Each structure stands twice: as structure tokens, then as C-alpha cells.
Amino acid sequence: MAADASETMSDISQLLIPRGFRFGATKAGLKASGRTDFAVIVADAPASAAAAFTGNRVSAAPLQVDKEHLRATGGRVCAVGQAGLDAARATCAAAAEVFGCAADEVFPSSTGIIGVPLPAEKLIAVMPELAAQLGSEPDHFQQVAEAILTTDTVVKAAFLHFHVEDDQGVGREVRIAAFCKGAGMIHPQLVPHATMLVYILTDAEADAAVLQSYLNDAIELSFNRISVDGDTSTNDTVLLLASGAGGVHIGAGHAEFAEALTQVCTSLAKQIVADGEGITHVVELRIDGAASDADALKAAKAIAHSPLVKTAWAGCDPNWGRLMAAIGYSGAQIDPERIDIWFGEQRICRNGGRAEEFDEAAAHAYLRQREFAILIELNQGEGKCVFWTTDLTAEYVHINADYST
């Protein structure tokens, strides 16, 4: 059973919120809008943690602190967040004192204009108030999900729960709940293997190394398969916390947990794309028949990052030649005379040339939908991938042309 952002937060049962966590959000005065801008997730006991960070070699200060803390604790955190190495460490120290944990059990995250330090003193000043507001109700979860938004227009959340039988045949519930932010500067390249911040919580119990393996697999098929504008943020973070409060141990090779985690991550990834800055179209790219999965991904990314392709989509222009050009420079192994392309159910290109049945008016009408799918068959092998992306509009340029002013 799953629920996502298509349901309002008030419709979500408390049963879907993982046990062992409390949430709080407040106004620290960081946003000019006056909205809530500082949030915490507190684990009632040290939780096992797995994380993935941006592949950008210029990374934000909190990410450096996060890596230090995960190494120091062996993947045990309690959670919090914000800015500049000194400020981040000062914030962690204050959080540790207020929330009763060690400083290296605090996991800070931030977003904002690159190079502009955030005032730690504002965060530290409101921490006692924030601690007093902590709670585990759905409303508290919603407050945190709202506080991390920047250019986002909607809250992005996903929920799922399933049952596992123990050795005595008694069913126990595992809950997963997650929320994220992200609308622009979206082309995550998370490692191992506008900014995206993702927080995933479960009340299952698992070792940090096992959690990391599950997370790596899940993000490869979700967050590493999306792009809004092709820019990789300095702050991208995905954090997975397991409180163990549900009493279910998840070891390696647990197929149901792996599937559930991938579903939650994929739901959030698609919600990020759907809320992309200034977008008018969400596009699902399906690349089949590539020489390898890696080649399929190369082709998908070349298409998703092409300004000519993305602006054609903005104009609902069925210019399939631009797709061919992007595939050609993608670095994937291809034979241009073997490529086939479909817009939905309509065959547009056959064997590298215009399909006889190509109906330009019908193709244009299909591309006028807010969401549409493009299938490309390379006919080179068994490699494949699914990738979600957007068009590129004048509104996106407007949003980002004066972002800091």
C-alpha cells in the first residue's frame, strides 16, 4: 500500500509515519517571504544512516561536515541543518546541546545561493523554540516538508508500508516515509556511483552498511535518472535513516524492502521533475536496444540536456531530427540507419528516416499534453533505461536570470 503527493497531507494516516522520529519546523528569518525555513528531524535513539551526496567537486560545507560525522559515528545520526564550515559546525554543536546528542550525530543540510553564507546565529537562536515544538504527528511531518522548499511550488512526499512475517509467523509492519525539495539546478549525480534534498525514514532496523547498499541501488534507478536543466547542484543530498522502532530487522537481500525503497525514491524523483522551474511538459524517455545500460543512459542524458530538444518540446514541435542529433553525439554505440523513434504510440522514425506513417499534426497534438513519452529503439543490444526530464521555457530563464537579485 502506498501514498504519494497526489493525496493531501491531511489524508495521510499517522500509521504511515515511521515510528521513532519526531519533527519540527520554525521561522529563523532566512527567507525573505517570512515562511518557515528551519527544520529538524530527531531520531528518538541514534538511527542507522545511509547517505549519498552530489558528484559535483564543488560541494557545500554541510556535506563536508556530514561525511565527517558519518565516518566518525559509523553511520549513526540523530539529524539537523545549515551553512559554511564554521557555521555548520557551530549549528551542530548547538543542536547537540539542545537535542541531547553528540555533535557528530547531527547531520546538517542546506540550500540557497552558492557562496552566500547562512547566518548560524539565527538558527541557534530558535533551536530551543524548535525543540519545544517537536512531535510525531502527520502535521509535524508536513511542517518539515514545507520548511525545506525554495522555488518549489508543492510539497513532495511519498509513503509506503508493508508487512513481514517473523519466525513465528507473526506479521510486523515496516513503514517508509520520505519528503524532498527540488525544482531547479536538477541533474543529480549522486555518489557512490535549486538543489535536491531528500530525507527517507523507516522504522525498520538495519546496519548502516546494509542500508547504504539498498540506498545505492534505489537512487541509481530514481534520482540518478532525472534532469530538469542539466546542472548538478553543490548541495544534493539523500539521507536514509532507520530507527528500528518497528521491531523488524532488515538484512541483506530483502527483496520487498528493496522494492519499497525504490518505489518511494522513484515517486519523489518524478515529483521533482513534475515541479521543475517554469516547465510545461514532463517527458519520460525510454531507451531500448542499446549496446549496454550505460549506453542507454548516455543517449537519454544527451537528449534530456539538449537545449534544442527541450525548446522544441516547449513549443510542442515534433522535430525528431533533434533527437537523432543528440543521440549521435551522446557517445553511445549506434548505427543511425537502425534507429526507430515513437512519440507515444505514433511511430515517427523508422530505420533512421522519417516513418511513412508519420503524421505531423497528430504528433504535434500528442506533444501538447503536459506529460508524454518518447521511445527510442537503438537496435544495438539489450541495454535500456528510463529517464524523466522536462522542456525548457522562457519562464525557466526568467526565474533564474534574477535569482539572486
Side-chain angles (χ1 to χ4, degrees):
M1 174 179 166
D4 60 28
S6 63
E7 299 182 62
T8 63
M9 294 297 295
S10 60
D11 291 335
I12 295 165
S13 166
Q14 184 179 2
L15 293 177
L16 293 175
I17 305 298
R19 292 151 290 196
F21 298 100
R22 288 172 293 152
F23 311 90
T26 191
K27 300 175 182 179
L30 302 178
K31 291 179 180 176
S33 66
R35 295 182 299 171
T36 54
D37 50 22
F38 184 39
V40 296
I41 305 167
V42 175
D44 293 334
S48 292
F53 303 101
T54 183
N56 194 323
R57 294 183 66 180
V58 177
S59 64
L63 275 65
Q64 298 176 49
V65 173
D66 293 337
K67 293 173 186 178
E68 292 172 4
H69 289 184
L70 287 173
R71 284 193 298 267
T73 63
R76 306 289 289 183
V77 303
C78 282
V80 177
Q82 243 87 289
L85 280 173
D86 290 342
R89 289 181 177 129
T91 303
C92 289
E97 182 176 348
V98 171
F99 297 104
C101 63
D104 57 13
E105 290 180 320
V106 180
F107 188 99
S109 301
S110 74
T111 185
I113 300 172
I114 297 170
V116 177
L118 294 178
E121 66 278 3
K122 290 187 177 182
L123 306 179
I124 294 169
V126 298
M127 275 190 198
E129 171 192 340
L130 192 53
Q133 297 174 356
L134 289 176
S136 57
E137 300 294 325
D139 284 350
H140 296 103
F141 182 95
Q142 180 182 5
Q143 291 164 14
V144 172
E146 290 177 346
I148 66 172
L149 305 182
T150 52
T151 58
D152 308 67
T153 64
V154 295
V155 168
K156 303 171 181 69
F159 307 83
L160 190 148
H161 65 115
F162 60 92
H163 288 82
V164 176
E165 287 191 1
D166 61 21
D167 295 338
Q168 285 72 45
V170 178
R172 291 182 179 272
E173 185 185 48
V174 174
R175 305 174 188 171
I176 301 176
F179 62 92
C180 68
K181 63 87 57 185
M185 206 174 187
I186 298 295
H187 173 219
Q189 298 181 66
L190 297 162
V191 292
H193 174 38
T195 301
M196 186 185 78
L197 301 177
V198 181
Y199 306 95
I200 309 165
L201 312 172
T202 179
D203 51 16
E205 187 273 325
D207 294 337
V210 171
L211 274 186
Q212 190 67 58
S213 179
Y214 283 119
L215 182 61
N216 292 348
D217 289 345
I219 64 176
E220 194 58 34
L221 298 176
S222 56
F223 301 115
N224 280 356
R225 294 292 183 271
I226 63 171
S227 177
V228 170
D229 47 24
D231 267 318
T232 298
S233 170
T234 59
N235 296 59
D236 288 335
T237 301
V238 180
L239 174 66
L240 169 61
L241 295 176
S243 70
V248 176
H249 177 78
I250 300 295
H254 197 293
E256 194 167 14
F257 183 81
E259 181 182 358
L261 182 62
T262 300
Q263 284 185 30
V264 166
C265 289
T266 301
S267 174
L268 292 181
K270 292 168 72 173
Q271 289 177 53
I272 288 171
V273 172
D275 194 34
E277 291 176 346
I279 72 156
T280 58
H281 296 93
V282 175
V283 185
E284 180 176 279
L285 293 173
R286 290 187 170 270
I287 311 297
D288 285 345
S292 65
D293 289 350
D295 263 15
L297 186 56
K298 287 179 183 178
K301 286 187 174 184
I303 293 167
H305 297 160
S306 166
L308 287 177
V309 170
K310 294 170 82 70
T311 51
W313 290 338
C316 310
D317 181 3
N319 190 338
W320 59 272
R322 291 182 177 180
L323 299 173
M324 290 287 288
I327 295 167
Y329 64 65
S330 69
Q333 175 183 312
I334 65 163
D335 177 349
E337 295 183 357
R338 299 181 66 186
I339 296 175
D340 300 322
I341 301 174
W342 287 262
F343 288 177
E345 299 297 320
Q346 303 177 50
R347 193 177 195 129
I348 305 300
C349 169
R350 184 192 303 275
N351 297 329
R354 178 184 172 121
E356 290 183 4
E357 61 267 43
F358 176 38
D359 183 330
E360 188 169 355
H364 174 72
Y366 177 71
L367 297 184
R368 292 183 65 183
Q369 300 178 102
R370 177 172 170 80
E371 298 186 13
F372 57 82
I374 295 176
L375 169 63
I376 298 172
E377 174 63 61
L378 297 180
N379 291 303
Q380 294 293 308
E382 301 299 321
K384 60 184 178 180
C385 83
V386 181
F387 198 94
W388 296 276
T389 188
T390 68
D391 57 358
L392 180 62
T393 67
E395 179 62 19
Y396 174 88
V397 176
H398 174 72
I399 291 170
N400 287 282
D402 59 2
Y403 187 82
S404 68
T405 55

